[in-house]
Amino acid sequence: MKSIVKDQVSIAVRSTLYALRFTVFGLLLGLILLVSQPLKIQAAEGDLKPGDIIGPNNWQKIKDMVGPNFLKRVKQGYTFQIKESKKFKPPREYVEATEKYSGGVKLASNGYLENYVLGLPFAKLDPNDPQAGEKLAWNFYWRWLGDNYKTGGATKTGQIIRYAIEKNGDERRSDLVTYTIFPHTRYMLDPKPVLPGYEHIDWMQLRVVGYPRDSAGVSTFGIRYTDPDKADDLYIYIPAIRRIRRGTTTQRCQTLAPSEFNLDDINSFNGKVTNFNYKFLGEKKVLTNFTEEGLPFRRKKGDYLPLDEKWEVQDVYVLEITPKDPSYCYPRKVLWIDKTTWESTWTLVWDKKGDLWKEQFAFRTPVKLPDGREVWSVATVVIVNVQNGRSTVLTAVRAHNRDYPPSLWSLATMQRMMRGGSVE
Amino acid sequence: MNQKIKLPLQIAGFALAFLLAGQVMAASFLGEGFEKFFKEKIRFGGFVENITGLSVGQEHFQFSTSPRFVMNRFTFQPETNINFHRRVKLFISWRFVVEPRYSMETKIRRRSVAPAGSGGSLPGDFYNETKGVPWEAVLDLSPSDNLQIRLGRQFISWGETDGLRILDVINPRDNTMFAPAAPNVFTLDETRIPQWGLRMWYTVRPVSNTIFEFFANPGFDPKKKRVDDISPGNDIGDGKADGDARFGRWSAQAETRVPLGRLFANPIPGNAPVVIPLTRREYPNAGDNWKIGARFTHNIGALNFGLGYIWGFNPQGLDAVFKVKGNPFPLGPNTGVRLRLLNDRTSIFAGHFNYPLGTYYGIPVKTALRGELAFYPSKPFNISKFPGPTGLRAGPDPKYSDGIVERNNLRYSLGFDRTTFIPFLHPDDPWRAFRMSFQIFQSVILGHKDGIRNFFNAGRINKVQTALTFRVNTGYLGDTIIPDFFILYEPLGNWVINPAVSYAPPWNERIKVSLVAAIYNGTKFTGFTGFFTQKDTVFLKLRYQF
């Protein structure tokens, strides 16, 4: 009896020691791996190749490559195929400007950009730089977007098509178009690089609703100034009273109903760079789509997911954005910024409790400049309010570098707005 | 309107409608080029709407006011945009309205006080608009990038205000069909009367919004509409020289109106009135109806402002002034006096500004400030002497035998617009803002005289008249439920409340259903809203856009 117990104890001790050895070994191995892989958020993308079908049976392959809500939809049954990754090249003029000017650009201690002229402000990002986050934010802000563009200009209808989708699948459509100009960062259109008299303006945007009829003609004219301390200007034209009203842009958080966007959600992040804190969270691979084919993509009515589009793997930087103003609506926002185009592929927002609030993904598509060169454009953007179940899908393909006169962006244009009419 | 212009336009309008309707047919015989042009360059839209109004005002001892229908107005408004070229565009719309007149309305309007014959019933089709004349028809030309010209039947709106107007007086307004000071019932755009004219903008410097604007309206419009929006008297005489007044829907009830001449009535009960006014509206000739104006706008920093000038016939009903013509004459046992509408050729010196207020000393003001100003030099007013001679309530002022005095008049407004979050009032979406707007309006008569009166109700016009407005709106459930509340208050004690709630279904962006109320309070002899005390009405609007 005594010997049986003794044997059993011996077996138990040996088993424990055996297990412990592996545990220690595992811990040591993990520690070595962790130390040797600085700032790389690993994803299970190694298995993905063109032609692969992703669905509920193998969702693990794309974990961390897509937003959590999208991943949940995959687990619930959404399937799609992987395709070859499209590699865009920034326009030559933009690259040349970066080479010429980025060396002189500095970031002040308060985050303000100094000596910026043209191109990408910070051509090289050092992950160990304590200001890497701010530099990434400025790179995003000054990514190539053309000298001007018409959003909606390259869709089939010539307008942005937007659907506001309710939780129960009801949909409402709205069409609009925007015209944007970057007057002091001109790469291709004369006069270069700046329109005389516009040195103090980063961009101007005219936005015109085209449908439905009662909203048609409602227009906004927004101006972003170079001075970080100067608030944006906003004018609103209301056809029902034929008046231009002055708006205040300081309420950045207001919902642009019936969509789920607010002012700062436009283009993924539209806030003033100096109003936020930034943290560079590393690099990763994500799933996105840089060659959207259906414009807009085919989807089930009442749902925002594309039925036929294929997805591809792209490399991104991960940027965390937190507000300086504690009363700001988004306590935390994360962008996954493509390394080549500096466009945001995914945007995630959390609320004060740390719960996921909104998730946004944006497709791209190749478009041609007037001289025939290929560039990229935003295509379809989807934003999902995970908490209330509403979503917005908008297809917004851009036509760049159009022959628009500067006078298009003025109050005279708004005064002659007609319902359903065009300003060009 | 000139017949030479009218008929071809009608023909053009119907031809266009035919082309639009016959797209397929046209493409088949005009070729693919037309089909491409049609698809890319022509946009078709519009709406159909039905508005039903139910009077809910308190009853008056002289007539039964409510509940009764006061409106069932069906409107069909098709609109077409043709983008021929970036420098040549055409917009054309038609408005077709059908509205029956109800027997109760007819009976009420037949009741009248002296002089006999006034208060005649409305023609049955008075509110109908079925003639096919384009509502708006504008040709936009851009000879250069900085010069834009608009020709045609159009609206020209200056100003920064909401609900009431100060500078928005270039186009007249049709007060015969809408509730005053109730912007949730009809928008300004639906009640303005378009006019033929020319408008031109020249952008001198786009970056500072330095723009020079010029307009000229020759006034080729139906006589009735030229002298426009008579309110609250709402003398909608049809231009016939029969002297009969016909009171539109939004007239004060005939029995409660006190025309200026009535002030000369004998105060002894039972005695016949001493003076019977014969009011005749002689419309100005087309040549007298011109309006021209110009303005200059500019930005200095964040301040946007404009200075301008308007010259021409003043179309505002509340400014209508009647002049005594000739000498009093015997009229049976009484005395008659002829009063004729004074063709008010007015000058208006105009100014406006807007400015965004930010955060000051840590206080988040975050409000858009706006203002406008209209200065009328030597503006005519009706004047009487109170009390009148030998016990009469009023009489002619001995200094102003024609009943007219001219004084400088300054009108201005200041407005504050703010969007704010009120989370506890918006559990659905705490970040869906409430848009709020507060306005103050004032009119100052410089060198004021005590006998200055509004003609239609003989109400006193104070040296300084003030009105305050407040408006707030938001959207619930993804903007499917849209409340909008407007209130106007005059310190004299009059007010208007105009609440509305609309439903826009989440499954169709073209449909909208609205329930609107216009509730008035005050005394009819003060201000202008008090005059409509018995006009409380609830409306149901059903609208389909296409």
Side-chain angles (χ1 to χ4, degrees):
Chain A
M1 182 70 170
K2 209 175 175 180
S3 64
I4 294 170
V5 170
K6 191 179 169 184
D7 285 340
Q8 282 178 338
V9 167
S10 174
I11 291 167
V13 167
R14 279 205 297 274
S15 302
T16 303
L17 283 172
Y18 189 78
L20 194 61
R21 194 161 33 186
F22 276 96
T23 304
V24 168
F25 176 74
L27 278 170
L28 275 172
L29 182 62
L31 193 63
I32 290 164
L33 284 172
L34 193 65
V35 167
S36 67
Q37 299 293 332
L39 294 171
K40 272 215 172 181
I41 302 167
Q42 289 290 352
E45 78 285 354
D47 298 332
L48 294 179
K49 53 186 184 302
D52 283 354
I53 304 290
I54 302 297
N57 297 327
N58 59 355
W59 59 267
Q60 294 87 346
K61 288 190 172 186
I62 61 164
K63 186 173 175 295
D64 294 328
M65 298 180 74
V66 294
N69 181 67
F70 183 89
L71 188 68
K72 188 172 118 185
R73 293 294 307 269
V74 174
K75 290 177 188 175
Q76 288 171 346
Y78 178 64
T79 61
F80 58 90
Q81 194 173 35
I82 302 294
K83 63 180 175 182
E84 284 283 348
S85 302
K86 170 75 175 178
K87 293 296 175 197
F88 286 108
K89 285 182 188 171
R92 170 182 47 83
E93 294 89 341
Y94 185 80
V95 174
E96 287 169 357
T98 302
E99 287 166 1
K100 184 174 178 184
Y101 294 111
S102 70
V105 179
K106 288 188 174 62
L107 199 60
S109 56
N110 59 5
Y112 286 21
L113 203 62
E114 292 176 351
N115 306 330
Y116 175 75
V117 179
L118 278 176
L120 198 67
F122 303 101
K124 291 186 173 69
L125 274 183
D126 177 3
N128 298 317
D129 183 347
Q131 289 184 311
E134 282 83 0
K135 290 180 178 177
L136 178 53
W138 280 113
N139 280 358
F140 172 77
Y141 185 76
W142 285 119
R143 65 195 183 282
W144 184 85
L145 287 167
D147 296 358
N148 66 46
Y149 61 76
K150 176 185 175 184
T151 309
T155 59
K156 287 172 194 164
T157 59
Q159 299 194 87
I160 300 169
I161 306 164
R162 187 191 74 190
Y163 287 93
I165 305 174
E166 294 294 318
K167 189 176 178 181
N168 65 357
D170 287 336
E171 293 191 4
R172 278 172 289 170
R173 174 176 163 160
S174 173
D175 294 352
L176 61 149
V177 66
T178 68
Y179 302 85
T180 310
I181 187 171
F182 303 91
H184 77 79
T185 49
R186 293 164 71 85
Y187 300 91
M188 298 168 197
L189 298 178
D190 288 323
K192 297 189 284 275
V194 57
L195 273 173
Y198 288 83
E199 296 81 358
H200 62 296
I201 295 175
D202 278 357
W203 52 257
M204 298 191 288
Q205 185 176 82
L206 184 64
R207 176 179 176 272
V208 183
V209 179
Y211 171 85
R213 185 262 176 201
D214 279 1
S215 306
V218 173
S219 318
T220 60
F221 174 33
I223 304 171
R224 170 69 56 87
Y225 295 101
T226 305
D227 181 354
D229 296 325
K230 190 168 180 181
D232 294 354
D233 260 334
L234 181 68
Y235 297 88
I236 308 164
Y237 175 73
I238 306 165
I241 56 176
R242 306 244 176 180
R243 301 256 205 278
I244 295 176
R245 280 286 164 78
R246 197 67 176 269
T248 52
T249 55
T250 38
Q251 298 287 23
R252 310 291 303 175
C253 290
Q254 58 177 311
T255 307
L256 302 176
S259 80
E260 288 299 317
F261 292 97
N262 65 28
L263 281 176
D264 279 353
D265 287 327
I266 296 169
N267 293 333
S268 299
F269 176 55
N270 197 37
K272 295 207 84 160
V273 175
T274 48
N275 290 349
F276 297 85
N277 298 314
Y278 304 92
K279 195 172 174 187
F280 178 55
L281 296 182
E283 304 170 30
K284 64 192 275 177
K285 291 191 183 294
V286 301
L287 282 182
T288 182
N289 183 353
F290 275 14
T291 49
E292 182 183 336
E293 292 170 29
L295 294 165
F297 56 63
R298 203 170 68 88
R299 58 183 177 85
K300 220 187 297 185
K301 192 166 159 59
D303 193 13
Y304 54 84
L305 288 176
L307 292 174
D308 304 323
E309 295 290 329
K310 297 173 188 171
W311 295 64
E312 62 195 78
V313 180
Q314 293 286 352
D315 296 301
V316 300
Y317 295 113
V318 182
L319 177 66
E320 180 187 78
I321 304 170
T322 51
K324 290 179 181 171
D325 178 2
S327 65
Y328 187 74
C329 45
Y330 295 162
R332 183 170 175 249
K333 189 178 209 175
V334 168
L335 304 186
W336 296 353
I337 298 172
D338 174 65
K339 284 183 175 181
T340 305
T341 63
W342 299 91
E343 297 271 19
S344 175
T345 55
W346 288 83
T347 307
L348 304 168
V349 177
W350 288 267
D351 64 16
K352 283 190 165 64
K353 291 184 209 162
D355 296 329
L356 184 66
W357 183 358
K358 294 184 186 176
E359 181 177 286
Q360 177 181 327
F361 62 85
F363 288 173
R364 259 79 201 174
T365 193
V367 293
K368 294 268 199 286
L369 290 175
D371 60 14
R373 285 185 283 166
E374 182 184 89
V375 289
W376 62 90
S377 163
V378 65
T380 300
V381 180
V382 172
I383 185 167
V384 181
N385 186 324
V386 175
Q387 295 184 2
N388 67 17
R390 293 198 195 105
S391 55
T392 305
V393 178
L394 65 90
T395 302
V397 189
R398 292 176 180 151
H400 295 91
N401 294 0
R402 306 274 287 230
D403 182 25
Y404 296 135
S407 56
L408 179 69
W409 290 271
S410 72
L411 295 181
T413 302
M414 299 183 90
Q415 286 175 22
R416 38 187 197 93
M417 203 68 68
M418 301 300 289
R419 288 191 191 274
S422 168
V423 298
E424 55 163 324
Chain B
M1 180 186 163
N2 191 324
Q3 285 296 328
K4 288 184 183 172
I5 300 169
K6 189 175 172 179
L7 186 59
L9 264 174
Q10 284 179 310
I11 293 170
F14 287 111
L16 190 61
F18 171 77
L19 276 175
L20 293 174
Q23 176 199 357
V24 172
M25 218 162 57
S28 68
F29 68 80
L30 290 175
E32 285 183 9
F34 178 82
E35 188 176 354
K36 188 171 183 289
F37 176 82
F38 186 91
K39 277 186 179 163
E40 292 178 8
K41 302 289 186 181
I42 297 179
R43 280 203 212 138
F44 188 66
F47 68 90
V48 292
E49 181 176 68
N50 193 73
I51 305 177
T52 303
L54 185 73
S55 172
V56 294
Q58 60 186 12
E59 292 197 16
H60 189 276
F61 73 91
Q62 287 178 303
F63 51 84
S64 171
T65 307
S66 68
R68 62 183 176 92
F69 281 112
V70 290
M71 178 187 285
N72 196 71
R73 184 179 175 89
F74 178 80
T75 305
F76 168 55
Q77 185 165 323
E79 297 162 345
T80 305
N81 275 284
I82 304 177
N83 194 4
F84 293 105
H85 183 269
R86 59 177 281 207
R87 299 193 184 279
V88 181
K89 300 177 208 302
L90 176 70
F91 175 88
I92 186 165
S93 68
W94 292 265
R95 187 164 95 167
F96 301 100
V97 177
V98 176
E99 184 172 0
R101 178 173 56 86
Y102 297 94
S103 59
M104 178 66 84
E105 183 89 28
T106 307
K107 285 176 194 164
I108 286 171
R109 296 303 174 197
R110 286 190 187 282
R111 290 184 62 182
S112 66
V113 295
S118 65
S121 60
L122 287 175
D125 60 351
F126 181 80
Y127 293 113
N128 290 356
E129 297 174 30
T130 53
K131 289 184 180 166
V133 174
W135 182 239
E136 257 187 292
V138 294
L139 183 67
D140 278 336
L141 304 169
S142 300
S144 73
D145 288 339
N146 288 15
L147 176 63
Q148 285 85 35
I149 298 171
R150 173 167 288 171
L151 296 162
R153 195 158 194 243
Q154 59 187 287
F155 297 107
I156 300 174
S157 168
W158 288 6
E160 302 265 350
T161 57
D162 190 14
L164 300 181
R165 304 170 299 152
I166 291 186
L167 288 179
D168 185 6
V169 295
I170 298 166
N171 284 81
R173 205 171 170 203
D174 188 354
N175 273 5
T176 61
M177 44 75 85
F178 83 106
N184 279 323
V185 181
F186 289 107
T187 63
L188 282 175
D189 217 37
E190 291 169 309
T191 57
R192 257 191 229 102
I193 300 167
Q195 288 197 309
W196 293 97
L198 157 83
R199 190 178 185 186
M200 185 205 82
W201 299 265
Y202 182 73
T203 308
V204 178
R205 193 166 171 262
V207 69
S208 56
N209 286 307
T210 308
I211 302 163
F212 176 74
E213 180 185 340
F214 170 79
F215 76 86
N217 288 1
F220 295 134
D221 289 285
K223 280 182 181 176
K224 181 178 82 170
K225 300 297 188 188
R226 275 188 221 150
V227 189
D228 95 4
D229 54 325
I230 300 300
S231 172
N234 225 320
D235 174 2
I236 48 173
D238 54 10
K240 294 178 187 169
D242 57 5
D244 276 355
R246 286 167 177 75
F247 307 121
R249 178 186 17 248
W250 295 105
S251 306
Q253 301 291 1
E255 294 78 2
T256 60
R257 296 170 75 228
V258 184
L260 187 67
R262 294 276 295 150
L263 291 174
F264 297 177
N266 194 322
I268 300 171
N271 284 15
V274 173
V275 174
I276 308 297
L278 287 182
T279 308
R280 189 176 297 267
R281 297 192 59 165
E282 289 188 359
Y283 296 101
N285 294 324
D288 289 339
N289 209 33
W290 271 90
K291 276 195 289 294
I292 60 172
R295 72 174 172 175
F296 167 81
T297 58
H298 183 63
N299 275 30
I300 298 177
L303 174 70
N304 172 257
F305 71 94
L307 297 169
Y309 176 74
I310 301 168
W311 180 85
F313 184 70
N314 182 8
Q316 301 179 79
L318 283 175
D319 283 344
V321 172
F322 281 77
K323 194 169 183 172
V324 174
K325 293 287 274 190
N327 295 319
F329 56 92
L331 190 64
N334 303 310
T335 305
V337 61
R338 288 188 180 82
L339 302 175
R340 289 204 180 144
L341 176 67
L342 182 68
N343 186 2
D344 176 16
R345 308 299 294 167
T346 195
S347 287
I348 304 176
F349 291 89
H352 83 266
F353 80 94
N354 54 74
Y355 186 83
L357 300 170
T359 302
Y360 304 94
Y361 302 104
I363 301 171
V365 179
K366 294 183 181 179
T367 300
L369 179 65
R370 54 183 162 86
E372 66 183 71
L373 178 146
F375 178 68
Y376 292 72
S378 300
K379 192 190 168 315
F381 291 94
N382 273 121
I383 187 166
S384 297
K385 188 169 165 55
F386 291 75
T390 61
L392 291 179
R393 188 170 179 176
D397 190 308
K399 282 188 196 168
Y400 307 101
S401 56
D402 58 0
I404 303 290
V405 65
E406 291 184 350
R407 285 292 179 267
N408 294 333
N409 182 209
L410 183 68
R411 300 175 183 180
Y412 57 89
S413 81
L414 208 55
F416 303 85
D417 298 321
R418 195 177 200 279
T419 49
T420 194
F421 302 114
I422 311 175
F424 77 91
L425 285 180
H426 219 308
D428 169 54
D429 181 358
W431 299 104
R432 178 63 174 90
F434 286 78
R435 277 190 292 269
M436 297 193 287
S437 164
F438 172 74
Q439 301 176 120
I440 176 168
F441 293 83
Q442 285 204 315
S443 171
V444 181
I445 300 175
L446 305 170
H448 181 262
K449 287 276 184 191
D450 193 52
I452 289 177
R453 289 292 185 271
N454 183 305
F455 174 80
F456 291 100
N457 63 357
R460 177 190 174 87
I461 302 180
N462 292 332
K463 180 179 180 178
V464 179
Q465 290 186 286
T466 304
L468 309 169
T469 72
F470 176 72
R471 189 169 195 173
V472 60
N473 56 57
T474 187
Y476 290 90
L477 300 176
D479 273 26
T480 54
I481 309 284
I482 306 161
D484 193 334
F485 178 82
F486 176 87
I487 180 169
L488 179 147
Y489 174 72
E490 294 177 282
L492 292 167
N494 305 322
W495 48 261
V496 180
I497 291 179
N498 180 215
V501 62
S502 299
Y503 173 65
W507 35 267
N508 193 318
E509 64 277 354
R510 300 182 178 202
I511 296 172
K512 195 169 175 186
V513 179
S514 304
L515 194 61
V516 189
I519 310 293
Y520 298 87
N521 185 66
T523 57
K524 57 183 179 294
F525 295 112
T526 57
F528 91 99
T529 54
F531 206 69
F532 295 91
T533 307
Q534 286 128 10
K535 292 293 185 182
D536 299 347
T537 309
V538 173
F539 302 88
L540 178 67
K541 297 170 72 168
L542 307 169
R543 191 172 180 106
Y544 181 82
Q545 310 154 59
F546 53 86

